[in-house]
Amino acid sequence: MRFPDFSRRQFLTTLATAAGSAFVPNFLSASPLQDPVVDATKKDGETVSREKVPWKARPFPMKQVRLGDGPCKRAMEADGRYLHSLPPDRLLHTFRINAGLPSSAQPLGGWEAPDCELRGHYAGGHYLSACALMYASTGDEELRSNANAIVAELGKCQANLEAGGYLSAFPVEFFDRLRNRERVWAPFYTIHKIMAGCLDMYVHCGNEQALDITEKMAGWVAGYTGPLSYDHMQRILGTEFGGMGEVLCNLYAVTGRQHYLEVAQRFDKKVFFDPLAAHRDELKGLHVNTHIPQVIAAARYYELTGERRYRDIAEYFWDEVVSERSYCTGGTSNGESWNTDPGKLSTELSTNTTECCCAYNMMKLTRHLFGWTPDARLMDYYERAMFNHRLGTINPEDGTMMYYLPLASGYWKTFGKPFDSLWCCTGTGSEEYAKLTDTIYFHDDESLYVNLYIDSDLNWPEKGLRVRQETRFPEQQGTTLIVTAQTPTPLAINLRIPYWAQGGSVRINGATLPAFSSPSSYLTLNRDWKTGDKVEINLPMGLHVDPMPDDATIQAMMYGPLVLAGRFEAVGKDLQYGDYEPKNHPPIKVPDILADANRPTAWVEPDAKESLTFHATGQSQPVTMVPLYQIIRERYAVYWKVNTKSA
Ligand SMILES: [Zn+2]
């Protein structure tokens, strides 16, 4: 009863045709409560945690990390401008209409349009999460205030719906269709987004009403799912339901009400989890972005119950997707699905490769695994996805997002329209660039992990410590840390030595250390840190090829962490906006590459003046190559057909 022939966008098109148409009340609070995945909550001055398996390394509250100048901050600011541009009354329109409340606002379009079955997913879900995260990352009071206003109005809608806690922008009858296995898009997927948005408003902005709304919604979910037989519920799980399990776990973690854990487990999809628990890759044919959030739910379930099976599911899944089903960018999926056996990727390059939501969710899952075992390999992946798939899929001008990042050659990037797209990927993108502060640094009681090289400031009041990270990475091949300490503070600072580092060195207060660490590990600097202490790390980048696992003649070229893309002619604005992928215009022909069999990177040479700019040499036509994230308007090529000659 699933609709395997319908991707989301096909489903939307079909429908259109058929239709003819607090705990942290302010920034001064020292409360550690900041993120549903690290939910040590403060209650009456006591820290309460429901984690059976606490993370060994934990992130800092986002309000303790601030971005400095660089590509990440620019992406965050573009996201902020987009969030500020959305009028609350337009966001609320379909919720009010659905609840029988008056609204004269102009409806939004795209996936928020009044006839779209996913309406509400962004307006009452992602938008709230994004505002809450942006508030945590920047202290943006206006966004918090706008989001608080939305929560208050959602509360009125929920009260007016009189359906036992139900809250949505579409009628509850959608759930009758779901129960009867009649065609409906993804009602639980949408409910998850709204619950997660409200819970984020509670966690990051201290909005107590948002928690109350979430709990009432959970009560409705429990009432709907409770009477269903196990087999009936399993059939319902054939319709996309996203992170229902995750948000219910998080709600348990925040409230301590055991019942939510039991409801969460009703969303365990047996045919998906069983093979993963047995370490079997049966992912072929699955819709990618509906399944990654289920694994995040498994990770949460493991953390809250200690049941090892859920950890096995999460770790096996991550390994398999990252090593067998991901491209050089860290992205995964083609046409929203895994269409092939493991390791078969060379035939999958298309305009529909690598949906942005999938990168968002894989990065989110990675943080859980890193919390359990702080392994540099996990952050190597995180950096790869961050610098190649996430930076560069937000439009720096207006903060609009991409849906697919095409990996077929000769195409271009397409962005949504500000008020008339509002896709799933608009939603996850709005969240992503609002939480770029959440992974740069992790810590435990005795050590600091510097995971990502991003210009930023860390404030660690429990240690009386501040760390300024100064870098122009990735233009700069390394970073500098400058410490301010109230008193000399013993601490191990763990610096990630990335997989791509070609040697490297570290200096403390000008003196070079005699030792260094191998790639994909953490270099530990253990000492009493004093104000003015300065750590300079040099991480030389070099060219390296990233060949397809099943066809070594199809290769991407990388420089350090960066995927280099051939940059070709620019497209006009008409082609740049509006659709999930480039279409109605053929690709340009991209040359095959002739390379030396023994020196596979020798055909690429750095530009004499411009940093991070390269040129192909000895080819049939000139090609300039730059980091994929820097390309916004031009046609590009990531994977090349490489023919070899022996010198
Ligand atoms: Zn998406």
Side-chain angles (χ1 to χ4, degrees), residues 272 281-289 291-292 295 317 320-321 324-327 331-341 345 348 358 362:
F272 176 52
D281 182 336
E282 296 184 5
L283 302 175
K284 182 178 174 178
L286 294 183
H287 180 272
V288 178
N289 192 46
H291 286 95
I292 305 170
V295 182
F317 175 87
E320 196 62 14
V321 171
E324 300 290 332
R325 296 182 175 280
S326 294
Y327 302 88
T332 185
S333 79
N334 179 24
E336 303 194 2
S337 298
W338 290 301
N339 306 308
T340 58
D341 291 327
L345 296 175
E348 287 292 289
C358 300
M362 281 302 293

Side-chain angles (χ1 to χ4, degrees), residues 8 355 357 403 424-425:
R8 282 182 215 160
E355 181 185 349
C357 285
Y403 194 110
C424 52
C425 298

Side-chain angles (χ1 to χ4, degrees), residues 331-566:
T332 185
S333 79
N334 179 24
E336 303 194 2
S337 298
W338 290 301
N339 306 308
T340 58
D341 291 327
K344 303 285 183 209
L345 296 175
S346 66
T347 53
E348 287 292 289
L349 299 174
S350 80
T351 55
N352 294 11
T353 32
T354 63
E355 181 185 349
C356 289
C357 285
C358 300
Y360 164 89
N361 277 312
M362 281 302 293
M363 289 165 75
K364 197 166 161 180
L365 176 62
T366 302
R367 299 177 83 243
H368 290 266
L369 271 62
F370 187 82
W372 307 338
T373 311
D375 178 344
R377 199 170 63 99
L378 295 158
M379 284 300 153
D380 282 348
Y381 167 78
Y382 199 94
E383 176 189 67
R384 181 189 282 262
M386 167 84 93
F387 279 90
N388 297 299
H389 195 128
R390 297 328 325 259
L391 293 182
T393 56
I394 178 168
N395 189 324
E397 282 179 28
D398 54 18
T400 51
M401 312 288 173
M402 294 180 71
Y403 194 110
Y404 295 124
L405 177 58
L407 292 178
S409 292
Y411 292 95
W412 64 95
K413 294 181 175 181
T414 57
F415 297 90
K417 294 176 179 164
F419 302 118
D420 294 300
S421 295
L422 297 151
W423 307 315
C424 52
C425 298
T426 315
T428 49
S430 296
E431 294 180 32
E432 186 90 85
Y433 307 103
K435 69 179 196 70
L436 296 173
T437 50
D438 75 353
T439 306
I440 303 170
Y441 307 99
F442 269 52
H443 71 96
D444 56 31
D445 291 344
E446 286 91 36
S447 59
L448 170 68
Y449 290 84
V450 182
N451 297 323
L452 298 170
Y453 297 122
I454 294 173
D455 193 285
S456 53
D457 289 279
L458 166 68
N459 180 15
W460 193 353
E462 294 85 353
K463 293 270 184 202
L465 208 67
R466 286 177 181 270
V467 178
R468 153 117 272 271
Q469 179 176 181
E470 236 169 57
T471 182
R472 289 179 297 105
F473 189 90
E475 273 92 18
Q476 179 187 341
Q477 305 189 1
T479 198
T480 300
L481 305 176
I482 300 151
V483 174
T484 305
Q486 280 170 4
T487 56
T489 305
L491 183 73
I493 296 186
N494 300 309
L495 299 163
R496 185 174 58 92
I497 310 304
Y499 77 97
W500 47 260
Q502 302 200 338
S505 59
V506 63
R507 296 197 300 174
I508 300 183
N509 299 333
T512 303
L513 294 194
F516 203 63
S517 279
S518 51
S520 242
S521 72
Y522 280 88
L523 171 68
T524 301
L525 306 176
N526 220 329
R527 59 189 267 139
D528 289 347
W529 298 93
K530 303 185 297 294
T531 291
D533 280 350
K534 186 172 176 183
V535 178
E536 295 164 281
I537 182 162
N538 174 39
L539 297 165
M541 296 179 188
L543 292 164
H544 52 108
V545 297
D546 196 312
M548 278 292 182
D550 55 329
D551 183 350
T553 71
I554 298 178
Q555 301 176 358
M557 185 64 71
M558 299 188 69
Y559 184 67
L562 305 171
V563 171
L564 297 181

Side-chain angles (χ1 to χ4, degrees), residues 23-76:
F23 282 73
V24 192
N26 60 56
F27 264 68
L28 301 173
S29 164
S31 163
L33 181 73
Q34 61 102 14
D35 186 325
V37 303
V38 190
D39 53 278
T41 59
K42 283 249 168 132
K43 193 131 191 144
D44 304 328
E46 292 290 310
T47 298
V48 182
S49 173
R50 279 98 194 182
E51 310 289 316
K52 290 284 195 302
V53 186
W55 287 11
K56 286 183 185 145
R58 302 180 295 281
F60 289 93
M62 283 184 269
K63 64 183 177 178
Q64 289 172 224
V65 180
R66 288 290 180 261
L67 297 184
D69 287 341
C72 289
K73 190 173 187 188
R74 287 194 290 276
M76 182 178 76

Side-chain angles (χ1 to χ4, degrees), residues 77-380:
E77 288 173 344
D79 189 23
R81 286 196 297 279
Y82 179 63
L83 293 171
H84 277 281
S85 77
L86 294 167
D89 276 341
R90 292 189 71 181
L91 291 162
L92 282 163
H93 177 75
T94 51
F95 279 97
R96 285 172 165 157
I97 296 298
N98 188 55
L101 296 170
S103 171
S104 56
Q106 182 188 359
L108 294 164
W111 290 21
E112 284 296 328
D115 62 350
C116 178
E117 292 200 345
L118 282 198
R119 62 188 180 270
H121 78 110
Y122 187 93
H126 292 295
Y127 174 80
L128 294 181
S129 290
C131 289
L133 294 165
M134 194 65 92
Y135 174 69
S137 282
T138 67
D140 188 326
E141 290 287 353
E142 190 180 326
L143 282 182
R144 180 170 82 148
S145 162
N146 288 355
N148 277 337
I150 298 253
V151 168
E153 293 304 306
L154 290 180
K156 291 180 195 166
C157 293
Q158 189 177 39
N160 228 44
L161 278 163
E162 296 175 358
Y166 181 74
L167 173 64
S168 177
F170 52 72
V172 72
E173 284 73 26
F174 279 29
F175 281 92
D176 297 336
R177 284 155 60 187
L178 184 72
R179 189 192 295 109
N180 298 335
R181 310 307 296 131
E182 294 161 5
R183 175 172 291 176
V184 64
W185 193 346
F188 269 129
Y189 169 91
T190 311
I191 294 296
H192 159 239
K193 299 303 181 195
I194 300 168
M195 290 178 70
C198 288
L199 194 57
D200 283 340
M201 281 301 295
Y202 170 69
V203 169
H204 300 291
C205 298
N207 187 317
E208 301 270 354
Q209 187 186 6
L211 177 62
D212 180 60
I213 290 172
T214 318
E215 289 211 75
K216 284 177 176 155
M217 290 182 77
W220 180 85
V221 173
Y224 176 89
T225 54
L228 301 171
S229 71
Y230 178 81
D231 289 344
H232 192 171
M233 187 65 196
Q234 288 296 311
R235 289 195 294 278
I236 282 174
L237 299 184
T239 299
E240 188 170 354
F241 60 95
M244 279 302 299
E246 184 205 1
V247 73
L248 287 159
C249 280
N250 289 338
L251 192 56
Y252 159 72
V254 166
T255 63
R257 297 198 173 96
Q258 185 78 22
H259 180 54
Y260 297 136
L261 262 190
E262 292 154 19
V263 183
Q265 218 176 359
R266 293 177 195 165
F267 291 88
D268 281 10
K269 188 172 167 185
K270 183 176 165 54
V271 293
F272 176 52
F273 278 178
D274 280 359
L276 293 174
H279 291 199
R280 285 199 316 272
D281 182 336
E282 296 184 5
L283 302 175
K284 182 178 174 178
L286 294 183
H287 180 272
V288 178
N289 192 46
T290 192
H291 286 95
I292 305 170
Q294 296 176 41
V295 182
I296 298 171
R300 284 302 281 141
Y301 206 80
Y302 164 68
E303 290 160 3
L304 293 167
T305 67
E307 281 188 46
R308 178 76 204 195
R309 171 184 147 90
Y310 289 96
R311 177 172 178 155
D312 288 346
I313 287 169
E315 290 186 326
Y316 175 75
F317 175 87
W318 189 93
D319 271 336
E320 196 62 14
V321 171
V322 169
S323 62
E324 300 290 332
R325 296 182 175 280
S326 294
Y327 302 88
C328 59
T329 54
T332 185
S333 79
N334 179 24
E336 303 194 2
S337 298
W338 290 301
N339 306 308
T340 58
D341 291 327
K344 303 285 183 209
L345 296 175
S346 66
T347 53
E348 287 292 289
L349 299 174
S350 80
T351 55
N352 294 11
T353 32
T354 63
E355 181 185 349
C356 289
C357 285
C358 300
Y360 164 89
N361 277 312
M362 281 302 293
M363 289 165 75
K364 197 166 161 180
L365 176 62
T366 302
R367 299 177 83 243
H368 290 266
L369 271 62
F370 187 82
W372 307 338
T373 311
D375 178 344
R377 199 170 63 99
L378 295 158
M379 284 300 153
D380 282 348

